Every structure is written in structure tokens, then in C-alpha cells.
Amino acid sequence: MSSSLSLAARPREAFGRHVHALRRTGQVPAVVYGHRQTAISIQADAKEIDRIWQRAGRTHLVDLSVEGQPLMRVLIRELQRSPRNGRPLHADFFAVNLLEKLTAEVPLVLTGESPAVTDLKVGQLLQTMNMVKVECLPTDLPPQITVDVSGLGAVEDSITVGDLTLPQGVTLVSAEDSEVVVKVAPLRVREEAEEAAPEAEAEPAGEAEASGE
């Protein structure tokens, strides 16, 4: 996958409590790290980081240019946001080696319609896995893996990890072929069969216990 996304940054000098002032100027503190690379503290424009995040997520390569450093190809590993206003607080960038494989989590996206759900209306889709960890070269990293559910025609039909179609050069890490990704579960018309446990009959009032007076 070729990268057409780029982000400009510069070395960061504000640390600790001074970071709050940095954010007030519209800048986001960040760090770049990677295999065989010393971590670099940087800062970048908050709006630009937001724009890149919307397009790149965690799986698209970004050309990161930092003043005084050679151009780096990076993935966004983490973007922390304020719980109050959603603004970016801190970003982690992972510098990749284009010739070395990496591991990353890729989202699973359902496509198509299950006849059991849309036509027969006998079940509902239950997605039990939303991400898978893959290994590949950085340029082969897919933004997502699609899962076609159009073959799920009956209750209990399922798609497992072993059924996934992976792009060329991409392999799964730490996943069993038998793990279920999505299945058709019965509609929850839970007729809670009232097995109302027979209520313990109350003792007639005024009856004395056999154990004595």
C-alpha cells in the first residue's frame, strides 16, 4: 500500500507541566519510536493530526517529516483524546522499516447480507471478533479485512478465522482457525418459561411447632 499521507512536525522542548501551555497553542505532544530507533519527542499541529488520523487510522503509512531528521514512514499507534472535548492530547508514532515485517491489529468489517437475517428473519448476526492481529511488510498492511456474511443462511451458521480471505503477503498471528468471527444467533424471543418454583406453602396461622412450647 503506497502512502500519500504526510505530516510535518518539529522537535519538542516542552515537557511536564509545560505541555498544557503547548496544547493551548494548538500543538499536540507526540513521540516517535521504532525498531532500532531512539525515541524522539516531537510536536505537531492538532488539526493536522486529526486530519491524518481520520484518513490513516492505525493501518495506513504516513510520511512524517521532523525538522532535522530524515523522512520517516510511520504508523499511528495511539491517539489519546480529551474525554471532555475530544481534542487530541498525545500521539504515538511507530517508525517502520519497509523491509521488515511488523505485527498490527486490523479491523474486521462485515459485508453483504445474511439471508437468515434479512430474508428468513430467523436470526441475528453476532460478531464475536472485531480485530485480528496480522504480520506482514508495512506496505502490505491492509486497512481492514472484509468478511462476507451472504452465505449465512441458517441459525448457527458461522464464519471462523480459518474462513477469512487474507490479502497476499498477510498472515494471521495468535489466532486459531476454529475461532468464530461472526455467527447467526437465534432471535432473542426468550420465552422465559416460567418454571415458577412452587411457592412454599405458608403454614396455617396458629399451628404450634412440634418442637415444643
Side-chain angles (χ1 to χ4, degrees):
M1 176 189 304
S2 60
S3 171
S4 58
L5 302 179
S6 59
L7 177 68
R10 60 179 185 270
R12 175 161 52 102
E13 297 179 356
F15 297 91
R17 60 187 179 185
H18 300 295
V19 166
H20 297 294
L22 178 69
R23 292 190 181 108
R24 283 196 292 272
T25 67
Q27 295 288 301
V28 175
V31 63
V32 186
Y33 60 92
H35 183 51
R36 297 178 186 167
Q37 172 167 328
T38 305
I40 306 170
S41 296
I42 62 172
Q43 64 189 62
D45 182 78
K47 291 181 180 177
E48 279 299 290
I49 285 185
D50 245 340
R51 180 184 67 83
I52 292 296
W53 171 255
Q54 296 301 323
R55 297 180 60 191
R58 291 187 174 87
T59 56
H60 198 298
L61 287 173
V62 177
D63 292 333
L64 178 66
S65 57
V66 181
E67 291 177 9
Q69 299 285 338
L71 184 71
M72 292 177 276
R73 306 295 294 280
V74 302
L75 293 170
I76 303 174
R77 277 297 198 219
E78 194 64 48
L79 180 62
Q80 299 173 23
R81 292 185 179 276
S82 164
R84 284 190 304 130
N85 52 36
R87 291 176 185 163
L89 294 178
H90 190 276
D92 288 1
F93 297 100
F94 180 76
V96 304
N97 181 334
L98 296 183
L99 301 179
E100 290 185 2
K101 290 186 176 182
L102 53 75
T103 60
E105 288 194 328
V106 175
L108 296 172
V109 177
L110 304 186
T111 62
E113 294 184 339
S114 162
V117 176
T118 58
D119 299 337
L120 302 176
K121 296 181 171 40
V122 293
Q124 58 188 353
L125 284 181
L126 177 63
Q127 186 172 359
T128 55
M129 188 179 291
N130 297 303
M131 309 278 288
V132 285
K133 185 176 287 187
V134 303
E135 181 181 66
C136 60
L137 290 173
T139 49
D140 291 334
L141 187 61
Q144 63 187 37
I145 294 173
T146 57
V147 184
D148 185 1
V149 300
S150 58
L152 302 180
V155 171
E156 299 304 332
D157 279 0
S158 66
I159 295 173
T160 65
V161 167
D163 298 324
L164 296 178
T165 301
L166 302 175
Q168 186 173 358
V170 178
T171 57
L172 291 174
V173 178
S174 305
E176 297 291 335
D177 283 354
S178 59
E179 289 184 69
V180 173
V181 173
V182 60
K183 64 179 288 188
V184 179
L187 286 176
R188 302 192 180 232
V189 183
R190 285 187 185 170
E191 301 165 357
E192 309 230 4
E194 292 177 3
E195 291 176 4
E199 295 181 8
E201 295 182 4
E203 285 187 3
E207 232 177 71
E209 287 190 316
S211 52
E213 313 182 348

